């Protein structure tokens, strides 16, 4: 039997420091502004739900936390791995959305939809939000 698990990868430069990007990923108020509402927290074992339009609530659990560097959590049947790498005056955000079983029609359909959604809509909205907040934050607070 072949391995049919596949990963969506997104590579996005964000003109803001890793601390600002981290807040965008782990602060419930900011998360709701760029993605969906959810009681996220950067604590291993924390269970939360994301209120997905059209899908309803999706259970998530935090698996790994390395502040300002790595945040891993489940998302329904999948895993989201967010890596933050300092780069010049900003952050290289690397997302891996893994766990798709392409032998399952629903998972295969989700894989086809979610790749462009992450790359073209969702992650750019995070970048825009974090970059705008970084522009108005006082220099000493970065």
């Amino acid at each position: 039997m072949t391995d049919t698990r596949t990963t969506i990868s997104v590579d996005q430069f964000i003109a803001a420091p890793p601390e600002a990007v981290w807040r965008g990923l782990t602060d419930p108020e900011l998360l709701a502004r760029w993605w969906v509402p959810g009681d996220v927290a950067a604590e291993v074992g924390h269970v939360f739900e994301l209120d997905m339009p059209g899908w309803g609530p999706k259970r998530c659990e935090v698996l790994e936390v390395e502040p300002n560097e790595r945040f891993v959590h489940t998302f329904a049947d999948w895993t989201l791995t967010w890596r933050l790498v300092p780069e010049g005056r900003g952050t290289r955000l690397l997302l891996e959305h893994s766990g798709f079983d392409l032998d399952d029609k629903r998972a295969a359909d989700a894989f086809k939809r979610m790749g462009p959604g992450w790359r073209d809509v969702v992650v750019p909205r995070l970048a825009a939000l974090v970059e705008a907040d970084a522009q108005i934050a006082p220099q000493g607070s970065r």
Side-chain angles (χ1 to χ4, degrees), residues 29-83:
E29 181 182 323
L30 295 177
L31 181 73
R33 289 173 54 196
W34 67 269
W35 190 15
V36 295
D39 187 25
V40 67
E43 300 171 12
V44 172
H46 176 71
V47 175
F48 62 101
E49 287 187 344
L50 294 176
D51 187 12
M52 304 298 297
W55 288 15
K58 294 298 172 195
R59 184 184 185 277
C60 304
E61 181 178 351
V62 177
L63 304 176
E64 296 179 43
V65 174
E66 293 177 38
N68 304 317
E69 294 179 16
R70 184 176 169 89
F71 185 55
V72 181
H73 62 86
T74 61
F75 169 54
D77 296 328
W78 308 296
T79 301
L80 300 182
T81 301
W82 304 91
R83 289 190 311 123

Side-chain angles (χ1 to χ4, degrees), residues 6 12 14 17 41 55 69 92 106 128-129 133:
T6 306
Q12 173 82 43
I14 300 177
W55 288 15
E69 294 179 16
R92 177 70 51 189
R106 289 182 56 182
L129 172 71
D133 284 354

Side-chain angles (χ1 to χ4, degrees), residues 69-127:
E69 294 179 16
R70 184 176 169 89
F71 185 55
V72 181
H73 62 86
T74 61
F75 169 54
D77 296 328
W78 308 296
T79 301
L80 300 182
T81 301
W82 304 91
R83 289 190 311 123
L84 291 70
V85 180
E87 183 177 308
R89 294 179 159 249
T91 304
R92 177 70 51 189
L93 177 65
L94 303 167
L95 166 63
E96 290 185 352
H97 184 164
S98 61
F100 291 92
D101 179 352
L102 297 184
D103 286 336
D104 177 281
K105 181 175 176 5
R106 289 182 56 182
D109 290 345
F111 178 79
K112 288 177 190 171
R113 287 189 320 271
M114 289 180 166
W118 281 122
R119 282 188 286 278
D120 301 335
V121 179
V122 180
V123 173
R125 284 186 2 208
L126 168 62

